[in-house]
Structure formats: C-alpha cells, structure tokens
C-alpha cells in the first residue's frame, strides 16, 4: 500500500464506435477505465543499473533483489541500529550475475510468502488428533504444537517455532489470533503451508548469506532507499 511496484494512471479511452441498424443506433465499447501501468522506481536508479549491467533490469528483478537483501541475516545484523531509525539502504552488487542470483532467491521468497510456491504443495507438517479443531490453550513440546488437549500440529522444529517477524513468533501469533474459534480445513491447510514456508525461508536465508559478503565487496556507487 505504501510502496507499490507499479503506479496505475487513467488514460484517454478509445473513441466509442457507432453502428446503425435501421432506425436503431447501437453503441459498442462500453464505458470503462483505461489504465496505464508505470514502474514506481527511481529513474536514476534504473539508469545506473542499466549502464552497469549493460542491460536494464525489469522492475520485478529489482524488487526481488531488494527482497533478498532484506532477508539476509548478515545485512540485518550489520545494520541493525540504522534500520531502527531510517529506511533501509540497499547495496546493489556491480556483478550482474550476482544481482541475478540474488533476484532469483528473492523471487523464491516472494512465492513462499504469498503461499504460491510449488514447494508448498506437500507441506512438512501434519495435523493430528480427533476433535472440533478449536483453538484453546497452545502448548509446544517435542516438535508438536497442541491447539487443545487432543489435537496438534506435528513436525514443527524449535527453530521454526521461535522464528520471529516484527517481534512476533509467527507460529504462535497466527493461532492466538484465532483463539476460541474452530479451524476450518482450509485454515489447517494454510497453517501447514505457513510452517513449510518458514522452513524454506530459513534455507534461502542461508543461501543468501553465503552470497551477501560478495555483494558488499564491490557495489554500485550511488545511494538509494
């Protein structure tokens, strides 16, 4: 909502065509909004990248690259104090292949976080036990997360149980927000996908951190946010 990748502006619609059949005039091309899509990226940034890479990256590639950088644990730790007080500043690698690799990782993360990745088709977590699927008091033990006395999600590692975003434990908060409710089959499936997504996220963060030091070895000399 705050930083959309594209902006959509109204443009002039094409002229409406008129066809006459005897005494009756019929109007085609009903009134509709015609929108022009433009990238919401700093033109100077794109020009600099195009000159450096000898090829203009697509808006999606730039977005995915930034997404990967922001999920680097090395980046987050190194600039933790700055990130508390200002918008993040993104180091753009001079090496085009490195840029593309990071963008690929970012694209994978985007798919995972939108729960659209094919990696989520077979979740690593199972919902066990009989009951009404009602979320009551949560209890985590031995890789099992109980939502009530009888029913639980099986296969959640301590690392994933403690994984935080924005200061909240994702696994816990999602269920706490539904306390006192009976989970539907769709919600149970979604939660299993979320857990699997977090597991995959950790794996991609490790891959990103292996490359991140190379990013800062030689970066494009301009500032952007």
């Amino acid at each position: 909502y705050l930083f959309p990748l594209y902006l959509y502006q109204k443009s002039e619609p094409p002229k409406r065509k008129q066809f006459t059949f005897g005494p009756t005039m019929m109007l085609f091309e009903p009134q509709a909004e015609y929108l022009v899509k433009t990238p919401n990226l700093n033109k100077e940034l794109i020009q600099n990248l195009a000159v450096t890479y000898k090829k203009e990256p697509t808006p999606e590639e730039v977005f995915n690259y930034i997404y990967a950088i922001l999920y680097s644990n090395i980046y987050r730790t190194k600039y933790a104090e700055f990130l508390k007080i200002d918008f993040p500043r993104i180091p753009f690698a001079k090496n085009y292949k490195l840029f593309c690799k990071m963008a690929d990782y970012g694209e994978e993360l985007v798919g995972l976080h939108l729960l659209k990745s094919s990696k989520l088709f077979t979740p690593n977590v199972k919902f066990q036990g009989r009951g009404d699927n009602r979320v009551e008091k949560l209890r985590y033990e031995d890789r099992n997360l109980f939502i009530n006395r009888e029913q639980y999600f099986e296969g959640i590692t301590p690392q994933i149980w403690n994984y935080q975003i924005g200061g909240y434990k994702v696994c816990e908060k999602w269920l706490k927000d539904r306390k006192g409710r009976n989970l539907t089959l769709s919600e149970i499936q979604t939660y299993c996908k979320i857990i699997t997504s977090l597991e995959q996220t950790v794996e991609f963060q490790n891959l990103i951190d292996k490359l991140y030091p190379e990013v800062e070895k030689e970066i494009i000399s301009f500032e952007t946010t």
Side-chain angles (χ1 to χ4, degrees):
Y1 291 108
L2 297 178
F3 304 109
L5 183 59
Y6 287 100
L7 298 177
Y8 295 82
Q9 298 176 330
K10 289 185 179 180
S11 65
E12 289 295 323
K15 292 183 179 180
R16 301 171 74 184
K17 299 176 182 178
Q18 297 183 351
F19 297 89
T20 302
F21 296 91
T24 305
M25 177 178 286
M26 300 185 67
L27 300 179
F28 292 85
E29 284 292 333
Q31 186 66 32
E33 287 191 352
Y34 292 84
L35 303 177
V36 176
K37 182 174 76 171
T38 57
N40 187 28
L41 294 172
N42 185 292
K43 293 181 179 179
E44 184 179 351
L45 164 66
I46 299 303
Q47 289 172 355
N48 272 284
L49 294 178
V51 169
T52 303
Y53 298 149
K54 305 296 189 291
K55 179 182 179 181
E56 184 174 313
T58 66
E60 285 77 13
E61 287 174 325
V62 174
F63 176 86
N64 292 333
Y65 175 88
I66 293 172
Y67 204 83
I69 294 295
L70 294 179
Y71 265 87
S72 165
N73 288 313
I74 296 175
Y75 172 88
R76 291 179 174 188
T77 302
K78 183 175 181 179
Y79 300 108
E81 293 304 313
F82 294 101
L83 293 172
K84 291 178 182 178
I85 59 176
D86 202 354
F87 289 111
R89 299 184 181 278
I90 307 299
F92 279 89
K94 273 192 174 182
N95 186 305
Y96 180 62
K97 289 184 178 180
L98 182 56
F99 169 86
C100 290
K101 192 64 178 177
M102 277 294 202
D104 288 343
Y105 287 157
E107 184 178 13
E108 292 278 5
L109 285 174
V110 170
L112 288 170
H113 298 164
L114 292 176
L115 301 184
K116 294 182 177 180
S117 172
S118 60
K119 292 180 171 62
L120 305 179
F121 290 168
T122 53
N124 300 330
V125 180
K126 294 181 179 180
F127 188 60
Q128 306 284 24
R130 293 184 178 182
D132 56 9
N133 306 337
R134 189 171 184 80
V135 181
E136 297 175 354
K137 186 177 181 180
L138 300 181
R139 186 175 88 257
Y140 177 75
E141 59 182 39
D142 298 328
R143 299 194 174 202
N144 297 327
L145 175 57
F146 287 81
I147 66 170
N148 54 47
R149 290 184 178 183
E150 306 296 334
Q151 295 177 290
Y152 59 94
F153 289 94
E154 179 185 47
I156 302 176
T157 65
Q159 182 183 26
I160 300 305
W161 167 245
N162 291 304
Y163 192 95
Q164 294 189 11
I165 295 179
Y168 293 100
K169 291 166 66 173
V170 179
C171 301
E172 182 179 46
K173 188 173 190 321
W174 194 92
L175 288 171
K176 275 190 171 182
D177 288 345
R178 290 155 180 81
K179 188 174 182 179
R181 284 176 42 189
N182 293 9
L183 297 180
T184 65
L185 175 59
S186 176
E187 287 176 318
I188 291 171
Q189 292 172 336
T190 296
Y191 191 72
C192 290
K193 286 183 178 181
I194 289 172
I195 301 302
T196 306
S197 173
L198 291 177
E199 292 175 350
Q200 292 289 329
T201 295
V202 170
E203 291 186 17
F204 276 105
Q205 284 183 290
N206 291 334
L207 293 174
I208 289 169
D209 281 342
K210 288 180 180 179
L211 289 182
Y212 184 78
E214 296 298 317
V215 170
E216 290 203 356
K217 278 186 178 179
E218 193 174 15
I219 61 175
I220 300 175
S221 58
F222 62 85
E223 279 193 350
T224 185
T225 55

